[in-house]
Amino acid sequence: EPGWARAREEAEAALRELREVVRPLREPGYGEALRRKAERARKKRLRLQRRKQEARAAKEEEAARAAEREAKIDQWRAKCIQEGEEKNREQELKAAADSVLSEVRKKQADTKRMVDVLRGLEKLRKLRKEAAARKGVCPPPSADEAFENQVESLKTLLKTRTELYEAEERALRVMLEGEQEEERKREMEKKQKKEREKLLQQKLEMDSKLFGDSAEFPLAHLLQPFRDYYLQAEHSVAALIQIRHEWDQYLVPADHPEGSCIPPGWVLPSLPTNDTWATAVR
């Protein structure tokens, strides 16, 4: 029948197409090629994953470094602001103290001027009294007593004010000297701190050259026995005496032809003189 023949042809065509598809699978080496292709795809996928991880780690590390830089910058900025505020407060306090001291000095000058005026009045009254006496005119004793009482009262008031102003001046001077002493003390502490930091940095650099960088060498604790051995004299008097005895055997004058003086500090290693030595040091 025509329908059956057509279906048979379609089936045979599908069978031929399937055989074409399956035919490469039967060829020798196809499985190995397929395996190598799959292995290359797997390695490529792993490389991409590793690159992504490295890029992510680098990004996180850069972010951490940036955060650390920002933190240091913020710390430095806060320190500068604090120092500026302290300096401004000191200047304001000094300006206020200078202003008060100037005011006290002005009051002292006014008091001294009033004392001079009072002395001038006493002298003027004495001269006028002598002139009146030459003319035969004498003031009553009550007038002299009233004048003297008034002058003594004014002298007592001016003396009290002078003593008060002198006490204020002494207190202000003590306060200013205290501020200056505090400023000198702070400057000295800053200088000593810088010196300590400089010495500590030099010690760290020297330890790094002698014992290696602890940040780059995570197994630094393995060197602790060696450090304990070379630093045992700092913790044991017996070890100090023994080491000094051993060193004293080699003490020679500075001009001795077969030796030299003991160095005062660490003897740092010299730089490599050839490439082979340099590779061993690295």
Side-chain angles (χ1 to χ4, degrees):
E1 295 179 359
W4 174 255
R6 190 181 307 109
R8 181 179 178 182
E9 290 177 358
E10 292 177 357
E12 290 177 354
L15 180 60
R16 287 192 300 270
E17 184 178 356
L18 182 60
R19 286 175 179 174
E20 289 294 330
V21 173
V22 176
R23 184 173 56 81
L25 299 176
R26 297 177 179 178
E27 294 180 358
Y30 181 80
E32 182 65 22
L34 187 61
R35 187 188 64 78
R36 287 196 301 268
K37 185 177 180 181
E39 183 67 18
R40 286 196 299 269
R42 187 183 67 83
K43 290 182 178 179
K44 183 178 180 180
R45 185 169 59 255
L46 291 177
R47 280 198 306 272
L48 293 176
Q49 291 177 356
R50 186 168 59 252
R51 289 176 182 175
K52 289 181 180 179
Q53 291 176 357
E54 291 175 354
R56 184 163 53 251
K59 187 176 180 180
E60 292 176 354
E61 184 178 357
E62 180 62 27
R65 286 198 297 265
E68 185 178 358
R69 288 195 298 268
E70 288 294 333
K72 290 182 179 179
I73 292 173
D74 293 340
Q75 184 179 3
W76 173 80
R77 186 183 297 112
K79 182 180 179 181
C80 292
I81 293 174
Q82 182 179 1
E83 291 178 354
E85 291 177 352
E86 290 178 357
K87 188 174 182 179
N88 290 336
R89 284 196 297 269
E90 292 172 2
Q91 291 178 351
E92 290 175 359
L93 181 61
K94 185 178 180 181
D98 291 340
S99 177
V100 176
L101 183 60
S102 176
E103 187 68 23
V104 170
R105 287 175 178 173
K106 182 179 179 182
K107 292 178 180 178
Q108 288 177 336
D110 293 340
T111 303
K112 185 176 182 300
R113 186 164 54 252
M114 292 175 67
V115 171
D116 294 338
V117 170
L118 188 60
R119 288 176 182 172
L121 288 175
E122 288 179 327
K123 186 176 181 180
L124 178 62
R125 189 177 189 280
K126 181 180 179 181
L127 292 174
R128 287 183 176 181
K129 185 178 178 181
E130 290 175 355
R134 285 194 298 269
K135 294 179 180 179
V137 179
C138 295
S142 60
D144 293 338
E145 184 179 357
F147 179 79
E148 290 177 357
N149 290 336
Q150 188 67 26
V151 169
E152 288 298 327
S153 177
L154 292 175
K155 285 182 177 180
T156 302
L157 177 61
L158 293 176
K159 182 180 180 181
T160 302
R161 288 189 176 182
T162 301
E163 292 175 352
L164 177 62
Y165 297 153
E166 289 177 353
E168 289 182 2
E169 183 181 8
R170 286 194 299 271
L172 289 172
R173 289 188 178 279
V174 169
M175 184 177 67
L176 289 175
E177 290 176 358
E179 283 296 323
Q180 293 174 356
E181 182 65 26
E182 288 293 330
E183 180 65 22
R184 287 193 294 269
K185 185 177 179 181
R186 283 192 292 268
E187 291 295 331
M188 182 62 66
E189 289 177 353
K190 290 180 180 179
K191 185 177 180 181
Q192 292 176 353
K193 183 179 179 182
K194 290 182 179 179
E195 290 294 331
R196 288 195 299 269
E197 291 177 352
K198 183 179 179 180
L199 293 176
L200 179 59
Q201 183 64 28
Q202 291 177 353
K203 182 179 182 301
L204 291 176
E205 292 177 357
M206 187 173 296
D207 290 345
S208 176
K209 292 179 180 179
L210 293 170
F211 305 110
D213 191 354
S214 58
E216 297 179 359
F217 186 59
L219 301 179
H221 62 279
L222 296 177
L223 297 176
Q224 191 60 38
F226 301 96
R227 292 195 179 99
D228 294 340
Y229 173 77
Y230 287 109
L231 299 178
Q232 59 180 323
E234 297 183 2
H235 309 286
S236 173
V237 177
L240 174 62
I241 295 174
Q242 178 64 26
I243 294 173
R244 284 301 305 267
H245 175 70
E246 295 176 356
W247 276 82
D248 289 346
Q249 294 178 354
Y250 301 97
L251 287 177
V252 294
D255 56 350
H256 196 279
E258 297 182 359
S260 60
C261 295
I262 297 176
W266 289 104
V267 179
L268 297 178
S270 58
L271 296 176
T273 56
N274 54 57
D275 296 339
T276 304
W277 184 9
T279 56
V281 172
R282 286 197 296 268

